[in-house]
Amino acid sequence: MKTHILTILSILLIAGQMSAKEIVVEHPAFSARINDRFEIEKIVIDNKATTLHVRGYYFGIVNVDKDIYLEVGEKEYPLQQTENLEFGKRMDTDENGEYVFSLVFPPIPAKTERFDLCTRSKDWMIWDIELKRPKKNSKPSTAHIPAEFIKAATIKDDGKGLEAPKWTVEYAWLKGIFAGYKPEMKLCIEVTPDNIILGTRRESLFADVNDDGTFEIAVPMTVSRQVWFCIVSGNTDKLDYFNFTRAGNHDKVLVTGDMVLSPGEKTLLCYDLPAHFRKKAHLRYDQQTDAKIFYFAGANAEINNLYYDADYNRYSAKINKSVGSMSAEIAKLTPSEYKERVMNAKKECFADIDTHPFLTRKMKEFFKMNLDYLAATNLFDISHNISTAKNMSAPGDTIKDPVTGMISVTKSYTIERIELDKEYYSFLKDLPVNNPISLYFTRYFNALNQSRFITINNERTKTPAADIIGISEGLFFDLMECQEICEPFDRKRTLTEANIELLKQMKEPVFAQVILAQNEKLLARIESNKSRQDYRIHDVQGKENEELFDAIIGKEKGKVVLVDVWATWCGPCRSDNEQFAPHKSKFDPDKVAFVYLTNETSPMDTWRLMIPELSGEHYRLTSSQLNYMKERLGVNENSVPQYVLLDKNGNKVSPSRFRGVGDFLPGINKALEK
């Protein structure tokens, strides 16, 4: 009898031990997530709790939503406690930008195969966290990729070269699907084409992704070209990529890149989100650094697929890093040494491309010509790159941001113009500038712009590019002439009769069509601005020092004031103002004032044409008046734009550099609360 009792007790004890046995999963896989700043290092499940050990990847303050829960099926398991994490308090990361903490939840069922980590705010979500691993060496499934994309991604070399693109004014259609999409991601795709005829970038175009993962966007084009795109977490009412990243919100950006679109044709894109997260993971056991993420079909499928499959970016990175490391070594290079480094890096890339195992003839040509123009961009940027290297290798000043409280190191930034001779620019002779295939590349746009402003031995000639290349006719020079005709558009100046006659004589009729259409838009815009009432011009002639300051800033007492020191000829000033303009209407004009200061370097007529699109208070000062205002506002730099945010009491509460509207929106709102 005793033997039977002991046997039963032993069985019960073993059963109890088995039920209490821990389930430990290290580096778990998952299907998708929002916010790549956090990753699960280990999961421990027992009969008391489900504990997630989390590693954060972010320099600065760790900010985690306290309303966290696990979701298994339709059941929620709320957060019970945390370890090494206090909500609402600053948690500084280590020197590697990492922070480790734990989240403790109730125990989930032992038979659970996967679960989701969720927050009410949707700022941090991880879906389908796996508790079981597939068989060893099993390949990730592509069953979720539509068949037409799988077929289009299988490319055979037809032995043909690139076709010269043709001019036509039509929309290019970009349609596609995000495989593995979750509606909570609220993804948005942004496309920014340039206009090589006008010499400008078009406004960014946005399309929200539908709940089923599909999207569609129409892009105005004039010729087959690369366009820049960005995939962002957040709908189109949010900030764009440029503002996101300059404000430090890199976790909102999934990916950026280039693709070729053609007017009048449809390009299809399937973006594999599960593969994206396998590739971008820090810790998961099934990380796949060579995962195929982009699948293209339709127009330009071969170019777009192989651009990513063969990883063009590794070649571009090699050339950029040859002179863009910002090290003390780069700072000491002579022009000939600098040029040699760029050309050697390009030569090494070409040798690798020639022996690439699956690049087609088309794509070898595409890669090489694209790298030709990338190398040229770096050669044009010698003054910028060497000056940046000097500035970055010099010691800086430590400052505390009055808005965020974060500590950063600032360095003075000046560009020292390097004297270059005609021989330095001899690389232009080898560029296929008049070959229409060059139109595919965004860097061709750069070569056009930079060739217009060449200085030789610190002297600018009337036709520097023609003097170097040895010819002055062809596609390159026609486009250069178009851009010169369009240059006054930035200053709100319309075409002259002489300009219109010149356009009529051009061989390509699309050039005149595009430029004349832009002129009509500008005329309509100028006429519309005449009825605007949300800007005011103030005359402070004769006022100096304290009287001047009081006339400009004193009259805004009790308001939060954003002061913008700008100029009509300043491209970054215009760009920043265009980005910020849609957000100004969010503020009550009785509580927030926008003050714009410039001087006589902004021509009076141009200034009067531009300011109707800048709602706020406008002052055109003398140079001595502007210098006094800058001194009083604590602006020590001579460059523009410069910005100062003042609270209701006139105290400065922001840095003077604009890194996107993300700098000012929180600062203005915080100042309004005081």
Side-chain angles (χ1 to χ4, degrees):
M1 184 68 180
K2 288 183 178 179
T3 304
H4 288 300
I5 293 171
L6 289 172
T7 301
I8 292 170
L9 289 172
S10 298
I11 292 171
L12 291 172
L13 180 62
I14 292 169
Q17 289 175 338
M18 289 178 66
S19 65
K21 185 179 179 181
E22 287 186 338
I23 298 174
V24 178
V25 181
E26 294 186 344
H27 307 158
F30 54 89
S31 68
R33 68 180 174 189
I34 294 175
N35 196 331
D36 62 1
R37 290 179 176 175
F38 305 104
E39 201 159 318
I40 299 172
E41 196 165 35
K42 183 169 66 173
I43 302 170
V44 179
I45 305 172
D46 57 29
N47 61 355
K48 294 181 179 179
T50 302
T51 304
L52 274 56
H53 299 277
V54 181
R55 184 173 292 273
Y57 298 88
Y58 178 56
F59 285 94
I61 303 172
V62 174
N63 186 19
V64 180
D65 188 333
K66 66 172 66 177
D67 200 357
I68 307 173
Y69 62 95
L70 302 183
E71 190 171 88
V72 181
E74 295 183 358
K75 186 173 180 180
E76 296 181 3
Y77 295 80
L79 180 69
Q80 290 184 328
Q81 67 182 75
T82 65
E83 296 174 8
N84 202 31
L85 177 68
E86 293 183 65
F87 294 110
K89 290 192 176 181
R90 181 187 179 97
M91 303 290 172
D92 291 325
T93 55
D94 62 22
E95 65 275 9
N96 297 315
E98 298 182 8
Y99 191 84
V100 178
F101 58 93
S102 298
L103 305 172
V104 182
F105 304 87
I108 61 176
K111 293 184 179 181
T112 301
E113 294 185 359
R114 65 184 61 85
F115 63 88
D116 300 335
L117 173 66
C118 309
T119 61
R120 304 291 176 196
S121 65
K122 311 299 184 187
D123 283 341
W124 184 24
M125 305 281 286
I126 306 179
W127 287 275
D128 302 320
I129 300 167
E130 298 283 350
L131 294 177
K132 293 185 178 180
R133 295 188 178 184
K135 292 180 181 179
K136 194 173 183 180
N137 299 325
S138 62
K139 292 184 178 179
S141 172
T142 57
H144 55 293
I145 306 297
E148 65 177 313
F149 290 99
I150 297 292
K151 183 178 179 181
T154 305
I155 297 164
K156 293 183 180 180
D157 191 349
D158 60 10
K160 297 178 181 178
L162 289 166
E163 293 182 5
K166 297 177 181 179
W167 295 100
T168 180
V169 181
E170 293 186 69
Y171 282 99
W173 292 93
L174 175 62
K175 300 179 69 174
I177 186 168
F178 286 87
Y181 185 69
K182 308 289 184 181
E184 294 89 345
M185 289 179 176
K186 297 189 181 298
L187 292 184
C188 165
I189 185 165
E190 175 185 358
V191 177
T192 307
D194 60 36
N195 190 319
I196 198 166
I197 298 173
L198 300 178
T200 60
R201 286 195 178 276
R202 296 183 188 271
E203 292 181 4
S204 291
L205 306 166
F206 297 89
D208 289 334
V209 177
N210 301 316
D211 285 352
D212 63 356
T214 60
F215 68 92
E216 182 174 348
I217 187 167
V219 183
M221 303 282 288
T222 55
V223 72
S224 295
R225 280 182 63 70
Q226 287 180 314
V227 300
W228 179 88
F229 71 92
C230 173
I231 300 169
V232 179
S233 176
N235 294 128
T236 54
D237 60 337
K238 301 287 184 72
L239 310 181
D240 65 25
Y241 162 79
F242 193 51
N243 290 327
F244 266 132
T245 53
R246 292 210 292 182
N249 298 305
H250 299 273
D251 57 303
K252 299 288 186 181
V253 178
L254 261 72
V255 68
T256 66
D258 301 292
M259 69 177 80
V260 174
L261 299 181
S262 295
E265 298 193 56
K266 186 185 297 182
T267 294
L268 306 176
L269 165 65
C270 176
Y271 193 83
D272 187 347
L273 286 168
H276 168 94
F277 293 116
R278 281 198 305 276
K279 186 171 185 176
K280 300 296 183 180
H282 295 280
L283 300 173
R284 54 190 288 177
Y285 77 92
D286 63 341
Q287 184 183 32
Q288 187 183 3
T289 56
D290 61 345
K292 180 173 174 62
I293 299 173
F294 292 94
Y295 291 82
F296 288 92
N300 307 300
E302 179 180 344
I303 292 174
N304 290 326
N305 275 308
L306 290 179
Y307 185 83
Y308 290 98
D309 292 351
D311 194 7
Y312 170 83
N313 287 337
R314 72 187 175 96
Y315 296 113
S316 62
K318 185 178 184 68
I319 291 176
N320 287 334
K321 288 179 180 178
S322 67
V323 289
S325 64
M326 301 182 189
S327 66
E329 180 186 4
I330 300 299
K332 297 176 183 177
L333 293 177
T334 65
S336 60
E337 291 170 338
Y338 178 96
K339 182 178 179 180
E340 185 179 11
R341 287 177 73 111
V342 174
M343 301 307 280
N344 284 342
K346 186 178 80 167
K347 184 178 179 181
E348 290 173 13
C349 289
F350 280 21
D352 190 82
I353 290 167
D354 284 335
T355 58
H356 197 284
F358 61 79
L359 275 179
T360 61
R361 179 185 169 188
K362 276 189 194 69
M363 287 311 291
K364 287 181 179 180
E365 186 178 349
F366 189 95
F367 273 33
K368 285 184 176 181
M369 197 175 291
N370 207 354
L371 293 172
D372 272 332
Y373 288 111
L374 175 64
T377 297
N378 276 280
L379 292 171
F380 277 120
D381 287 346
I382 179 173
S383 293
H384 174 271
N385 286 344
I386 288 182
S387 295
T388 300
K390 289 180 179 179
N391 293 325
M392 294 303 291
S393 57
D397 299 320
T398 301
I399 63 168
K400 181 177 181 180
D401 191 303
V403 177
T404 65
M406 293 183 67
I407 304 297
S408 61
V409 176
T410 63
K411 300 191 177 189
S412 59
Y413 188 81
T414 55
I415 293 185
E416 176 187 342
R417 187 158 298 281
I418 296 171
E419 185 172 329
L420 303 168
D421 58 21
K422 190 173 181 178
E423 174 57 29
Y424 178 84
Y425 290 105
S426 61
F427 65 86
L428 282 172
K429 295 179 182 178
D430 299 321
L431 288 177
V433 292
N434 281 330
N435 186 336
I437 289 173
S438 299
L439 292 167
Y440 280 113
F441 311 110
T442 55
R443 297 291 180 180
Y444 183 58
F445 178 93
N446 295 356
L448 272 167
N449 284 329
Q450 291 170 308
S451 294
R452 293 172 55 206
F453 303 104
I454 291 173
T455 57
I456 297 173
N457 298 325
N458 286 337
E459 292 184 8
R460 182 174 295 180
T461 61
K462 188 175 182 181
T463 57
D467 293 342
I468 293 165
I469 297 172
I471 56 174
S472 59
E473 295 181 341
L475 175 67
F476 188 72
F477 299 96
D478 289 345
L479 287 169
M480 198 178 291
E481 189 167 32
C482 284
Q483 293 186 8
E484 288 175 358
I485 290 172
C486 297
E487 201 171 55
F489 287 161
D490 280 340
R491 302 191 300 274
K492 300 292 186 291
R493 296 288 183 179
T494 55
L495 297 177
T496 63
E497 288 298 324
N499 292 150
I500 294 172
E501 282 302 313
L502 194 59
L503 287 172
K504 291 177 180 178
Q505 298 171 21
M506 288 194 169
K507 295 178 182 178
E508 177 50 64
V510 167
F511 295 170
Q513 181 183 348
V514 170
I515 294 173
L516 290 172
Q518 186 69 14
N519 191 57
E520 290 301 314
K521 286 181 183 178
L522 180 56
L523 286 167
R525 196 168 173 178
I526 291 171
E527 188 62 30
S528 174
N529 285 341
K530 291 178 181 178
S531 61
R532 293 190 62 161
Q533 304 293 322
D534 55 353
Y535 74 100
R536 288 156 295 279
I537 298 175
H538 301 277
D539 184 4
V540 288
Q541 186 176 0
K543 291 182 170 60
E544 298 292 339
N545 301 338
E546 197 62 33
E547 184 186 10
L548 174 70
F549 188 84
D550 190 59
I552 297 174
I553 303 299
K555 77 182 194 67
E556 309 295 349
K557 189 175 181 180
K559 296 181 182 180
V560 173
V561 182
L562 179 59
V563 182
D564 179 350
V565 182
W566 72 297
T568 58
W569 44 262
C570 165
C573 300
R574 297 193 301 268
S575 175
D576 287 355
N577 285 329
E578 287 172 7
Q579 291 172 50
F580 192 59
H583 302 278
K584 293 163 74 173
S585 60
K586 297 175 182 177
F587 301 105
D588 184 342
D590 292 330
K591 296 180 179 179
V592 180
F594 298 97
V595 175
Y596 295 89
L597 308 180
T598 190
N599 62 11
E600 301 107 318
T601 62
S602 295
M604 175 68 80
D605 291 346
T606 303
W607 179 67
R608 286 188 174 275
L609 286 170
M610 283 188 177
I611 60 175
E613 296 180 3
L614 295 176
S615 60
E617 317 304 318
H618 290 272
Y619 299 84
R620 186 171 178 271
L621 310 175
T622 64
S623 294
S624 61
Q625 284 178 321
L626 184 61
N627 288 338
Y628 177 79
M629 290 299 299
K630 287 166 63 177
E631 183 181 345
R632 280 294 308 269
L633 293 167
V635 176
N636 300 318
E637 298 184 38
N638 291 322
S639 61
V640 288
Q642 297 292 330
Y643 303 89
V644 178
L645 183 61
L646 305 175
D647 65 17
K648 298 173 188 177
N649 298 315
N651 299 315
K652 185 176 176 180
V653 293
S654 83
S656 58
R657 283 201 179 277
F658 180 93
R659 298 186 301 273
V661 298
D663 271 357
F664 292 143
L665 294 181
I668 292 173
N669 286 324
K670 189 172 182 179
L672 285 170
E673 292 170 2
K674 293 182 178 179

